[in-house]
Amino acid sequence: MNHKEVIQTISERSSKSEAICETVIRSYEKYCERNLTQTSKKHMKAIVEYISNEELIDYLVCQAVMESYFDLLEEQIKKKLRSM
């Protein structure tokens, strides 16, 4: 999947606009650059708090987008592993 497809899929799954999804994912990328060891789903609370504070987007909106992102990521990894 390319970037646009990822954003569209997350938007569909989270019921949030593509613009919001793009902003949240862009902010997540910034978060990852600063927190290299805390980028996985198990750090969801810290990730969502960071994005919500940085972008001034409601916490629950950020959480929905990030949950959709991590679910999609997990599906894509499993799909790749099955094809190996």
Side-chain angles (χ1 to χ4, degrees):
M1 294 183 103
N2 64 35
H3 182 76
K4 183 175 180 163
E5 292 170 330
V6 169
I7 296 300
Q8 288 173 337
T9 303
I10 293 170
S11 176
E12 291 169 9
R13 291 181 179 196
S14 67
S15 301
K16 308 302 176 204
S17 73
E18 287 185 24
I20 290 290
C21 294
E22 180 74 42
T23 299
V24 170
I25 297 303
R26 194 175 333 108
S27 188
Y28 172 63
E29 291 169 355
K30 291 178 191 174
Y31 171 88
C32 291
E33 290 172 3
R34 296 179 182 155
N35 300 282
L36 293 173
T37 62
Q38 299 178 344
T39 59
S40 67
K41 191 173 186 175
K42 70 180 180 179
H43 299 287
M44 178 77 81
K45 185 177 180 189
I47 293 167
V48 172
E49 285 177 357
Y50 172 87
I51 295 168
S52 181
N53 291 333
E54 287 292 310
E55 302 299 334
L56 302 176
I57 299 173
D58 182 79
Y59 182 91
L60 295 177
V61 171
C62 295
Q63 184 177 15
V65 172
M66 288 308 301
E67 285 174 352
S68 297
Y69 173 75
F70 281 122
D71 290 347
L72 178 61
L73 185 64
E74 184 178 334
E75 289 172 20
Q76 292 298 309
I77 291 170
K78 286 180 180 178
K79 185 177 173 182
K80 289 278 187 191
L81 290 175
R82 276 189 243 121
S83 68
M84 295 179 114

